[in-house]
Amino acid sequence: MGLKSKDLLGMKQLTAEEIMEILDTAKTMKLVIASANKKTSHLQGKSVVTLFYENSTRTRLSFELASKYMGSASANISTSGSSVNKGESLLDTARTIDMMGTDIIIMRHNQSGAPHFIAPYLKASVVNAGDGMNEHPTQALLDMLTMYERFDTFEGKNIAICGDIYHSRVVRSNAIGLSKLGAKVSVYGPKTMMPIGIENMGVRIADSVADCIKDADAVMGLRVQLERQQKSLFPSIAEYAKFYAITPEMLALAKPDAFLMHPGPCNHGVELPTAVYDCDQSVINEQVTNGVAVRMAVLYLLMARRNQL
Ligand code: CP
């Protein structure tokens, strides 16, 4: 039991068996979250620190709640209010946190590969909470938990992902993880937002939103990440919404029991109209709940690995 590595850096590093172990453990953690007490002692006497160089609501809060529900001492550090703003390097910052006896450091950073860079220098386990445009493994795991609660198997399931593919670490982690479990992933977005070589991750590049969504078992919209664009990659928001949004008509092309996902935060009226965000097929709020359960499972399995070491 437990993960093979000291760290959780990406879906690339996880085997299919490890992914399933995380999902099965998260299902148990959902029972803890639903209980009156919301307390386990799995992390009692342990410490968890979140180190965020980028903004976050869901990921950071769900890790904080997950570690508190499991009884750990937890603390947060972000760029504002820390010595990062005095110019302290990433490695010095991480080592400082490590030397205070921290067991697990959860890090979000705007540079791809930042968690992979610090992990070998630290005794603490490092969890990637999103690194640049590379990966966001715990988001993919919570997306997969939401699917797993509806699918008997991932094998052969059609997953459609539409939106800003280029900037999305969520699509990369989902493509890698879902392919490992035998699902078929199709992606679609403006050609200017399609990374070169994305098909090497085992995904199909669709010809249109309709082609991407047709007969899908699950449909995921992605946020247009305006904050990562140096220059505009499409003519206007209105045209993006007209040609690339998941409208009710597009969603109707998926299988009748298909469901709609979005990692959040959402630009209402851009990648999705509010009517789709709030429709009966939407499981976006469930994804948020599953985020806490998956992060509890990750902390539990990393600590199991540390106890073995
Ligand atoms: N999905 C996601 O990572 O959301 P936050 O940026 O709010 O953490």
Side-chain angles (χ1 to χ4, degrees):
M1 196 186 60
L3 301 180
K4 290 199 179 74
S5 168
K6 157 179 116 30
D7 311 294
L8 175 56
L9 300 177
M11 299 304 286
K12 242 180 242 149
Q13 286 80 16
L14 292 177
T15 62
E17 291 71 32
E18 286 178 299
I19 294 170
M20 290 312 299
E21 187 172 13
I22 294 170
L23 300 186
D24 284 323
T25 307
K27 278 190 171 180
T28 309
M29 293 304 180
K30 280 193 87 168
L31 302 177
V32 176
I33 296 167
S35 71
N37 194 18
K38 286 199 193 72
K39 264 279 181 246
T40 76
S41 54
H42 293 116
L43 296 185
Q44 202 154 22
K46 307 295 180 189
S47 52
V48 175
V49 171
T50 57
L51 169 62
F52 274 53
Y53 286 79
E54 277 189 344
N55 297 336
S56 168
T57 298
R58 291 153 199 77
T59 312
R60 182 166 154 172
L61 183 58
S62 59
F63 266 118
E64 285 171 24
L65 288 174
S67 58
K68 286 193 168 118
Y69 290 164
M70 297 170 80
S72 83
S74 56
N76 321 304
I77 184 163
S78 55
T79 44
S80 88
S82 76
S83 291
V84 172
N85 269 354
K86 298 180 202 162
E88 188 159 38
S89 73
L90 171 60
L91 187 55
D92 285 353
T93 303
R95 275 180 169 150
T96 302
I97 299 167
D98 194 39
M99 292 315 291
M100 291 184 188
T102 305
D103 291 285
I104 302 180
I105 299 175
I106 295 148
M107 188 174 82
R108 172 170 286 190
H109 202 282
N110 56 339
Q111 294 299 320
S112 299
H116 310 67
F117 165 63
I118 60 165
Y121 293 99
L122 308 180
K123 285 203 196 83
S125 294
V126 176
V127 178
N128 182 359
D131 63 322
M133 289 158 36
N134 180 38
E135 279 221 45
H136 191 350
T138 58
Q139 177 67 45
L141 288 163
L142 77 88
D143 296 337
M144 293 166 84
L145 175 62
T146 310
M147 296 176 202
Y148 186 39
E149 290 178 323
R150 290 167 173 79
F151 295 162
D152 43 357
T153 172
F154 285 91
E155 198 68 48
K157 289 288 189 289
N158 295 320
I159 316 298
I161 308 181
C162 297
D164 180 354
I165 307 293
Y166 184 73
H167 296 104
S168 179
R169 51 199 177 202
V170 175
V171 79
R172 286 174 181 78
S173 285
N174 267 295
I176 296 165
L178 287 164
S179 300
K180 284 186 182 184
L181 298 187
K184 294 186 278 184
V185 180
S186 297
V187 298
Y188 183 69
K191 289 242 183 304
T192 48
M193 296 170 116
M194 197 60 68
I196 292 164
I198 181 90
E199 59 276 25
N200 297 335
M201 289 185 174
V203 306
R204 176 181 81 92
I205 302 175
D207 293 329
S208 60
V209 179
D211 177 42
C212 192
I213 293 180
K214 191 169 170 3
D215 295 329
D217 295 284
V219 178
M220 187 185 298
L222 294 177
R223 184 170 69 89
V224 177
Q225 298 190 36
L226 293 168
E227 76 276 18
R228 289 193 207 279
Q229 293 184 32
Q230 310 295 321
K231 52 186 183 235
S232 185
L233 296 174
F234 51 87
S236 67
I237 294 286
E239 275 158 311
Y240 187 95
K242 182 168 176 194
F243 292 104
Y244 301 101
I246 302 172
T247 59
E249 295 74 30
M250 290 296 129
L251 193 55
L253 298 172
K255 288 191 180 150
D257 57 351
F259 47 95
L260 174 89
M261 310 174 79
H262 190 297
C266 178
N267 298 306
H268 286 255
V270 183
E271 60 261 14
L272 301 178
T274 300
V276 169
Y277 187 95
D278 288 331
C279 73
D280 290 344
Q281 285 165 276
S282 171
V283 294
I284 296 169
N285 291 329
E286 258 181 72
Q287 286 175 265
V288 174
T289 307
N290 284 346
V292 182
V294 151
R295 283 150 185 148
M296 287 175 80
V298 164
L299 295 176
Y300 174 74
L301 292 169
L302 276 178
M303 199 51 75
R305 173 68 179 143
R306 293 178 70 76
N307 290 340
Q308 283 166 4
L309 290 172

